[in-house]
PDB file of all heavy atoms in Angstrom:
ATOM      1  N   ASP B 184       2.066 -91.048-182.437  1.00 89.00           N
ATOM      2  CA  ASP B 184       1.525 -89.764-182.843  1.00 89.00           C
ATOM      3  C   ASP B 184       0.219 -89.522-182.084  1.00 89.00           C
ATOM      4  O   ASP B 184      -0.718 -90.314-182.181  1.00 89.00           O
ATOM      5  CB  ASP B 184       1.268 -89.801-184.361  1.00 89.00           C
ATOM      6  CG  ASP B 184       0.870 -88.436-184.894  1.00 89.00           C
ATOM      7  OD1 ASP B 184       0.563 -87.549-184.058  1.00 89.00           O
ATOM      8  OD2 ASP B 184       0.873 -88.263-186.121  1.00 89.00           O
ATOM      9  N   ARG B 185       0.188 -88.420-181.311  1.00 89.00           N
ATOM     10  CA  ARG B 185      -0.988 -88.160-180.478  1.00 89.00           C
ATOM     11  C   ARG B 185      -2.255 -87.948-181.317  1.00 89.00           C
ATOM     12  O   ARG B 185      -3.376 -88.134-180.835  1.00 89.00           O
ATOM     13  CB  ARG B 185      -0.730 -86.942-179.588  1.00 89.00           C
ATOM     14  CG  ARG B 185       0.404 -87.137-178.582  1.00 89.00           C
ATOM     15  CD  ARG B 185       0.081 -88.316-177.681  1.00 89.00           C
ATOM     16  NE  ARG B 185       0.994 -88.450-176.550  1.00 89.00           N
ATOM     17  CZ  ARG B 185       2.086 -89.213-176.546  1.00 89.00           C
ATOM     18  NH1 ARG B 185       2.397 -89.914-177.623  1.00 89.00           N
ATOM     19  NH2 ARG B 185       2.844 -89.300-175.475  1.00 89.00           N
ATOM     20  N   ALA B 186      -2.069 -87.581-182.606  1.00 90.00           N
ATOM     21  CA  ALA B 186      -3.235 -87.372-183.474  1.00 90.00           C
ATOM     22  C   ALA B 186      -4.033 -88.667-183.647  1.00 90.00           C
ATOM     23  O   ALA B 186      -5.255 -88.651-183.789  1.00 90.00           O
ATOM     24  CB  ALA B 186      -2.783 -86.860-184.840  1.00 90.00           C
ATOM     25  N   LEU B 187      -3.318 -89.810-183.573  1.00 91.00           N
ATOM     26  CA  LEU B 187      -4.002 -91.098-183.720  1.00 91.00           C
ATOM     27  C   LEU B 187      -4.979 -91.323-182.575  1.00 91.00           C
ATOM     28  O   LEU B 187      -6.062 -91.874-182.758  1.00 91.00           O
ATOM     29  CB  LEU B 187      -2.983 -92.242-183.762  1.00 91.00           C
ATOM     30  CG  LEU B 187      -2.080 -92.306-184.979  1.00 91.00           C
ATOM     31  CD1 LEU B 187      -1.032 -93.380-184.789  1.00 91.00           C
ATOM     32  CD2 LEU B 187      -2.920 -92.583-186.217  1.00 91.00           C
ATOM     33  N   LEU B 188      -4.579 -90.884-181.380  1.00 88.00           N
ATOM     34  CA  LEU B 188      -5.451 -91.059-180.221  1.00 88.00           C
ATOM     35  C   LEU B 188      -6.678 -90.168-180.344  1.00 88.00           C
ATOM     36  O   LEU B 188      -7.791 -90.570-180.023  1.00 88.00           O
ATOM     37  CB  LEU B 188      -4.697 -90.744-178.933  1.00 88.00           C
ATOM     38  CG  LEU B 188      -3.394 -91.518-178.743  1.00 88.00           C
ATOM     39  CD1 LEU B 188      -2.764 -91.168-177.397  1.00 88.00           C
ATOM     40  CD2 LEU B 188      -3.647 -93.005-178.839  1.00 88.00           C
ATOM     41  N   GLU B 189      -6.451 -88.949-180.827  1.00 89.00           N
ATOM     42  CA  GLU B 189      -7.584 -88.044-181.034  1.00 89.00           C
ATOM     43  C   GLU B 189      -8.528 -88.606-182.080  1.00 89.00           C
ATOM     44  O   GLU B 189      -9.749 -88.570-181.919  1.00 89.00           O
ATOM     45  CB  GLU B 189      -7.081 -86.675-181.502  1.00 89.00           C
ATOM     46  CG  GLU B 189      -6.788 -85.730-180.345  1.00 89.00           C
ATOM     47  CD  GLU B 189      -6.116 -84.457-180.836  1.00 89.00           C
ATOM     48  OE1 GLU B 189      -6.637 -83.851-181.801  1.00 89.00           O
ATOM     49  OE2 GLU B 189      -5.085 -84.082-180.262  1.00 89.00           O
ATOM     50  N   ALA B 190      -7.932 -89.170-183.131  1.00 91.00           N
ATOM     51  CA  ALA B 190      -8.762 -89.755-184.189  1.00 91.00           C
ATOM     52  C   ALA B 190      -9.616 -90.875-183.622  1.00 91.00           C
ATOM     53  O   ALA B 190     -10.814 -90.985-183.927  1.00 91.00           O
ATOM     54  CB  ALA B 190      -7.871 -90.291-185.317  1.00 91.00           C
ATOM     55  N   ALA B 191      -9.008 -91.701-182.766  1.00 90.00           N
ATOM     56  CA  ALA B 191      -9.756 -92.813-182.168  1.00 90.00           C
ATOM     57  C   ALA B 191     -10.915 -92.262-181.340  1.00 90.00           C
ATOM     58  O   ALA B 191     -12.042 -92.763-181.411  1.00 90.00           O
ATOM     59  CB  ALA B 191      -8.824 -93.657-181.303  1.00 90.00           C
ATOM     60  N   ARG B 192     -10.634 -91.187-180.581  1.00 87.00           N
ATOM     61  CA  ARG B 192     -11.689 -90.638-179.732  1.00 87.00           C
ATOM     62  C   ARG B 192     -12.781 -89.999-180.579  1.00 87.00           C
ATOM     63  O   ARG B 192     -13.964 -90.165-180.314  1.00 87.00           O
ATOM     64  CB  ARG B 192     -11.101 -89.616-178.766  1.00 87.00           C
ATOM     65  CG  ARG B 192     -11.943 -89.501-177.492  1.00 87.00           C
ATOM     66  CD  ARG B 192     -11.413 -88.460-176.539  1.00 87.00           C
ATOM     67  NE  ARG B 192     -11.153 -87.214-177.220  1.00 87.00           N
ATOM     68  CZ  ARG B 192     -10.062 -86.467-176.997  1.00 87.00           C
ATOM     69  NH1 ARG B 192      -9.162 -86.871-176.136  1.00 87.00           N
ATOM     70  NH2 ARG B 192      -9.890 -85.332-177.632  1.00 87.00           N
ATOM     71  N   ASP B 193     -12.373 -89.282-181.626  1.00 90.00           N
ATOM     72  CA  ASP B 193     -13.362 -88.654-182.502  1.00 90.00           C
ATOM     73  C   ASP B 193     -14.250 -89.688-183.162  1.00 90.00           C
ATOM     74  O   ASP B 193     -15.408 -89.417-183.482  1.00 90.00           O
ATOM     75  CB  ASP B 193     -12.653 -87.824-183.583  1.00 90.00           C
ATOM     76  CG  ASP B 193     -11.977 -86.609-182.977  1.00 90.00           C
ATOM     77  OD1 ASP B 193     -12.282 -86.309-181.794  1.00 90.00           O
ATOM     78  OD2 ASP B 193     -11.139 -85.991-183.644  1.00 90.00           O
ATOM     79  N   ASN B 194     -13.699 -90.880-183.363  1.00 90.00           N
ATOM     80  CA  ASN B 194     -14.503 -91.935-183.966  1.00 90.00           C
ATOM     81  C   ASN B 194     -15.322 -92.693-182.935  1.00 90.00           C
ATOM     82  O   ASN B 194     -15.910 -93.721-183.229  1.00 90.00           O
ATOM     83  CB  ASN B 194     -13.604 -92.913-184.730  1.00 90.00           C
ATOM     84  CG  ASN B 194     -13.184 -92.322-186.065  1.00 90.00           C
ATOM     85  OD1 ASN B 194     -14.018 -91.826-186.811  1.00 90.00           O
ATOM     86  ND2 ASN B 194     -11.893 -92.348-186.343  1.00 90.00           N
ATOM     87  N   GLY B 195     -15.285 -92.210-181.709  1.00 86.00           N
ATOM     88  CA  GLY B 195     -16.156 -92.769-180.686  1.00 86.00           C
ATOM     89  C   GLY B 195     -15.594 -93.937-179.923  1.00 86.00           C
ATOM     90  O   GLY B 195     -16.339 -94.676-179.289  1.00 86.00           O
ATOM     91  N   ALA B 196     -14.274 -94.126-179.968  1.00 86.00           N
ATOM     92  CA  ALA B 196     -13.693 -95.239-179.223  1.00 86.00           C
ATOM     93  C   ALA B 196     -13.659 -94.915-177.734  1.00 86.00           C
ATOM     94  O   ALA B 196     -13.412 -93.777-177.352  1.00 86.00           O
ATOM     95  CB  ALA B 196     -12.280 -95.525-179.726  1.00 86.00           C
ATOM     96  N   THR B 197     -13.922 -95.909-176.897  1.00 84.00           N
ATOM     97  CA  THR B 197     -13.786 -95.704-175.455  1.00 84.00           C
ATOM     98  C   THR B 197     -12.309 -95.780-175.101  1.00 84.00           C
ATOM     99  O   THR B 197     -11.475 -96.154-175.931  1.00 84.00           O
ATOM    100  CB  THR B 197     -14.518 -96.803-174.680  1.00 84.00           C
ATOM    101  OG1 THR B 197     -13.891 -98.055-174.988  1.00 84.00           O
ATOM    102  CG2 THR B 197     -15.984 -96.867-175.047  1.00 84.00           C
ATOM    103  N   GLY B 198     -11.985 -95.414-173.853  1.00 83.00           N
ATOM    104  CA  GLY B 198     -10.590 -95.468-173.407  1.00 83.00           C
ATOM    105  C   GLY B 198      -9.986 -96.858-173.599  1.00 83.00           C
ATOM    106  O   GLY B 198      -8.882 -96.999-174.106  1.00 83.00           O
ATOM    107  N   TRP B 199     -10.769 -97.872-173.205  1.00 85.00           N
ATOM    108  CA  TRP B 199     -10.267 -99.243-173.338  1.00 85.00           C
ATOM    109  C   TRP B 199     -10.013 -99.609-174.792  1.00 85.00           C
ATOM    110  O   TRP B 199      -9.005-100.216-175.117  1.00 85.00           O
ATOM    111  CB  TRP B 199     -11.286-100.247-172.766  1.00 85.00           C
ATOM    112  CG  TRP B 199     -11.141-100.436-171.298  1.00 85.00           C
ATOM    113  CD1 TRP B 199     -12.057-100.110-170.342  1.00 85.00           C
ATOM    114  CD2 TRP B 199     -10.012-100.991-170.610  1.00 85.00           C
ATOM    115  NE1 TRP B 199     -11.570-100.419-169.111  1.00 85.00           N
ATOM    116  CE2 TRP B 199     -10.323-100.960-169.239  1.00 85.00           C
ATOM    117  CE3 TRP B 199      -8.776-101.496-171.016  1.00 85.00           C
ATOM    118  CZ2 TRP B 199      -9.442-101.427-168.261  1.00 85.00           C
ATOM    119  CZ3 TRP B 199      -7.902-101.960-170.057  1.00 85.00           C
ATOM    120  CH2 TRP B 199      -8.232-101.921-168.687  1.00 85.00           C
ATOM    121  N   GLN B 200     -10.985 -99.217-175.648  1.00 88.00           N
ATOM    122  CA  GLN B 200     -10.843 -99.552-177.070  1.00 88.00           C
ATOM    123  C   GLN B 200      -9.614 -98.892-177.660  1.00 88.00           C
ATOM    124  O   GLN B 200      -8.876 -99.512-178.413  1.00 88.00           O
ATOM    125  CB  GLN B 200     -12.098 -99.119-177.832  1.00 88.00           C
ATOM    126  CG  GLN B 200     -13.263-100.072-177.621  1.00 88.00           C
ATOM    127  CD  GLN B 200     -14.550 -99.556-178.231  1.00 88.00           C
ATOM    128  OE1 GLN B 200     -14.798 -98.348-178.233  1.00 88.00           O
ATOM    129  NE2 GLN B 200     -15.364-100.465-178.731  1.00 88.00           N
ATOM    130  N   THR B 201      -9.383 -97.622-177.280  1.00 88.00           N
ATOM    131  CA  THR B 201      -8.200 -96.930-177.783  1.00 88.00           C
ATOM    132  C   THR B 201      -6.939 -97.637-177.305  1.00 88.00           C
ATOM    133  O   THR B 201      -6.007 -97.888-178.082  1.00 88.00           O
ATOM    134  CB  THR B 201      -8.173 -95.473-177.274  1.00 88.00           C
ATOM    135  OG1 THR B 201      -9.442 -94.896-177.507  1.00 88.00           O
ATOM    136  CG2 THR B 201      -7.098 -94.670-177.959  1.00 88.00           C
ATOM    137  N   THR B 202      -6.918 -97.971-176.008  1.00 88.00           N
ATOM    138  CA  THR B 202      -5.732 -98.638-175.469  1.00 88.00           C
ATOM    139  C   THR B 202      -5.470 -99.946-176.196  1.00 88.00           C
ATOM    140  O   THR B 202      -4.358-100.226-176.632  1.00 88.00           O
ATOM    141  CB  THR B 202      -5.937 -98.917-173.966  1.00 88.00           C
ATOM    142  OG1 THR B 202      -6.267 -97.702-173.330  1.00 88.00           O
ATOM    143  CG2 THR B 202      -4.676 -99.499-173.344  1.00 88.00           C
ATOM    144  N   TRP B 203      -6.516-100.727-176.312  1.00 88.00           N
ATOM    145  CA  TRP B 203      -6.353-102.081-176.835  1.00 88.00           C
ATOM    146  C   TRP B 203      -6.087-102.095-178.337  1.00 88.00           C
ATOM    147  O   TRP B 203      -5.267-102.869-178.828  1.00 88.00           O
ATOM    148  CB  TRP B 203      -7.607-102.904-176.499  1.00 88.00           C
ATOM    149  CG  TRP B 203      -7.386-104.361-176.648  1.00 88.00           C
ATOM    150  CD1 TRP B 203      -7.989-105.191-177.544  1.00 88.00           C
ATOM    151  CD2 TRP B 203      -6.471-105.178-175.900  1.00 88.00           C
ATOM    152  NE1 TRP B 203      -7.512-106.460-177.393  1.00 88.00           N
ATOM    153  CE2 TRP B 203      -6.584-106.486-176.395  1.00 88.00           C
ATOM    154  CE3 TRP B 203      -5.567-104.920-174.856  1.00 88.00           C
ATOM    155  CZ2 TRP B 203      -5.824-107.548-175.901  1.00 88.00           C
ATOM    156  CZ3 TRP B 203      -4.808-105.975-174.363  1.00 88.00           C
ATOM    157  CH2 TRP B 203      -4.948-107.256-174.874  1.00 88.00           C
ATOM    158  N   ASN B 204      -6.777-101.227-179.098  1.00 88.00           N
ATOM    159  CA  ASN B 204      -6.681-101.288-180.561  1.00 88.00           C
ATOM    160  C   ASN B 204      -5.670-100.326-181.165  1.00 88.00           C
ATOM    161  O   ASN B 204      -5.278-100.482-182.310  1.00 88.00           O
ATOM    162  CB  ASN B 204      -8.054-101.021-181.182  1.00 88.00           C
ATOM    163  CG  ASN B 204      -9.056-102.092-180.805  1.00 88.00           C
ATOM    164  OD1 ASN B 204      -8.744-103.273-180.821  1.00 88.00           O
ATOM    165  ND2 ASN B 204     -10.251-101.681-180.423  1.00 88.00           N
ATOM    166  N   VAL B 205      -5.273 -99.302-180.410  1.00 90.00           N
ATOM    167  CA  VAL B 205      -4.314 -98.336-180.962  1.00 90.00           C
ATOM    168  C   VAL B 205      -2.983 -98.403-180.214  1.00 90.00           C
ATOM    169  O   VAL B 205      -1.937 -98.641-180.804  1.00 90.00           O
ATOM    170  CB  VAL B 205      -4.881 -96.896-180.912  1.00 90.00           C
ATOM    171  CG1 VAL B 205      -3.882 -95.923-181.508  1.00 90.00           C
ATOM    172  CG2 VAL B 205      -6.212 -96.822-181.638  1.00 90.00           C
ATOM    173  N   ILE B 206      -3.037 -98.217-178.904  1.00 91.00           N
ATOM    174  CA  ILE B 206      -1.779 -98.089-178.157  1.00 91.00           C
ATOM    175  C   ILE B 206      -1.025 -99.412-178.073  1.00 91.00           C
ATOM    176  O   ILE B 206       0.165 -99.467-178.372  1.00 91.00           O
ATOM    177  CB  ILE B 206      -2.061 -97.516-176.745  1.00 91.00           C
ATOM    178  CG1 ILE B 206      -2.638 -96.111-176.902  1.00 91.00           C
ATOM    179  CG2 ILE B 206      -0.773 -97.476-175.922  1.00 91.00           C
ATOM    180  CD1 ILE B 206      -3.040 -95.461-175.622  1.00 91.00           C
ATOM    181  N   VAL B 207      -1.709-100.488-177.681  1.00 90.00           N
ATOM    182  CA  VAL B 207      -1.005-101.772-177.525  1.00 90.00           C
ATOM    183  C   VAL B 207      -0.306-102.211-178.821  1.00 90.00           C
ATOM    184  O   VAL B 207       0.877-102.527-178.800  1.00 90.00           O
ATOM    185  CB  VAL B 207      -1.946-102.871-176.971  1.00 90.00           C
ATOM    186  CG1 VAL B 207      -1.292-104.236-177.048  1.00 90.00           C
ATOM    187  CG2 VAL B 207      -2.327-102.552-175.538  1.00 90.00           C
ATOM    188  N   PRO B 208      -1.013-102.193-179.977  1.00 88.00           N
ATOM    189  CA  PRO B 208      -0.299-102.601-181.201  1.00 88.00           C
ATOM    190  C   PRO B 208       0.910-101.709-181.505  1.00 88.00           C
ATOM    191  O   PRO B 208       1.940-102.196-181.946  1.00 88.00           O
ATOM    192  CB  PRO B 208      -1.351-102.459-182.297  1.00 88.00           C
ATOM    193  CG  PRO B 208      -2.652-102.519-181.593  1.00 88.00           C
ATOM    194  CD  PRO B 208      -2.430-101.943-180.237  1.00 88.00           C
ATOM    195  N   LEU B 209       0.778-100.396-181.221  1.00 90.00           N
ATOM    196  CA  LEU B 209       1.883 -99.492-181.541  1.00 90.00           C
ATOM    197  C   LEU B 209       3.038 -99.621-180.536  1.00 90.00           C
ATOM    198  O   LEU B 209       4.129 -99.139-180.796  1.00 90.00           O
ATOM    199  CB  LEU B 209       1.387 -98.045-181.600  1.00 90.00           C
ATOM    200  CG  LEU B 209       0.492 -97.733-182.803  1.00 90.00           C
ATOM    201  CD1 LEU B 209      -0.099 -96.345-182.692  1.00 90.00           C
ATOM    202  CD2 LEU B 209       1.272 -97.879-184.106  1.00 90.00           C
ATOM    203  N   CYS B 210       2.792-100.227-179.386  1.00 91.00           N
ATOM    204  CA  CYS B 210       3.860-100.429-178.393  1.00 91.00           C
ATOM    205  C   CYS B 210       4.481-101.807-178.523  1.00 91.00           C
ATOM    206  O   CYS B 210       5.257-102.201-177.659  1.00 91.00           O
ATOM    207  CB  CYS B 210       3.327-100.354-176.971  1.00 91.00           C
ATOM    208  SG  CYS B 210       2.683 -98.820-176.507  1.00 91.00           S
ATOM    209  N   ARG B 211       4.082-102.546-179.532  1.00 89.00           N
ATOM    210  CA  ARG B 211       4.498-103.939-179.631  1.00 89.00           C
ATOM    211  C   ARG B 211       6.004-104.102-179.456  1.00 89.00           C
ATOM    212  O   ARG B 211       6.469-104.949-178.706  1.00 89.00           O
ATOM    213  CB  ARG B 211       4.049-104.485-180.980  1.00 89.00           C
ATOM    214  CG  ARG B 211       3.938-105.986-181.008  1.00 89.00           C
ATOM    215  CD  ARG B 211       3.493-106.446-182.360  1.00 89.00           C
ATOM    216  NE  ARG B 211       4.425-105.975-183.389  1.00 89.00           N
ATOM    217  CZ  ARG B 211       4.300-106.267-184.682  1.00 89.00           C
ATOM    218  NH1 ARG B 211       3.303-106.986-185.102  1.00 89.00           N
ATOM    219  NH2 ARG B 211       5.187-105.823-185.553  1.00 89.00           N
ATOM    220  N   THR B 212       6.754-103.231-180.140  1.00 87.00           N
ATOM    221  CA  THR B 212       8.206-103.336-180.059  1.00 87.00           C
ATOM    222  C   THR B 212       8.698-103.208-178.624  1.00 87.00           C
ATOM    223  O   THR B 212       9.491-104.026-178.153  1.00 87.00           O
ATOM    224  CB  THR B 212       8.868-102.219-180.881  1.00 87.00           C
ATOM    225  OG1 THR B 212       8.201-102.153-182.115  1.00 87.00           O
ATOM    226  CG2 THR B 212      10.328-102.492-181.081  1.00 87.00           C
ATOM    227  N   GLY B 213       8.207-102.194-177.938  1.00 91.00           N
ATOM    228  CA  GLY B 213       8.626-101.968-176.561  1.00 91.00           C
ATOM    229  C   GLY B 213       8.281-103.154-175.685  1.00 91.00           C
ATOM    230  O   GLY B 213       9.084-103.608-174.875  1.00 91.00           O
ATOM    231  N   ILE B 214       7.061-103.676-175.867  1.00 92.00           N
ATOM    232  CA  ILE B 214       6.625-104.812-175.063  1.00 92.00           C
ATOM    233  C   ILE B 214       7.535-106.008-175.307  1.00 92.00           C
ATOM    234  O   ILE B 214       7.953-106.696-174.372  1.00 92.00           O
ATOM    235  CB  ILE B 214       5.152-105.161-175.397  1.00 92.00           C
ATOM    236  CG1 ILE B 214       4.234-104.045-174.899  1.00 92.00           C
ATOM    237  CG2 ILE B 214       4.763-106.495-174.787  1.00 92.00           C
ATOM    238  CD1 ILE B 214       2.793-104.196-175.323  1.00 92.00           C
ATOM    239  N   ILE B 215       7.877-106.227-176.563  1.00 91.00           N
ATOM    240  CA  ILE B 215       8.700-107.413-176.874  1.00 91.00           C
ATOM    241  C   ILE B 215      10.128-107.256-176.367  1.00 91.00           C
ATOM    242  O   ILE B 215      10.701-108.184-175.788  1.00 91.00           O
ATOM    243  CB  ILE B 215       8.644-107.711-178.390  1.00 91.00           C
ATOM    244  CG1 ILE B 215       7.269-108.288-178.701  1.00 91.00           C
ATOM    245  CG2 ILE B 215       9.727-108.686-178.804  1.00 91.00           C
ATOM    246  CD1 ILE B 215       6.959-108.431-180.137  1.00 91.00           C
TER     247      ILE B 215
END
Side-chain angles (χ1 to χ4, degrees):
Chain B
D184 187 347
R185 296 301 189 267
L187 292 173
L188 306 183
E189 270 172 50
R192 206 182 49 222
D193 291 347
N194 283 311
T197 63
W199 275 116
Q200 283 173 325
T201 311
T202 306
W203 196 245
N204 296 317
V205 181
I206 297 176
V207 170
L209 290 173
C210 296
R211 202 180 57 178
T212 315
I214 291 173
I215 287 171

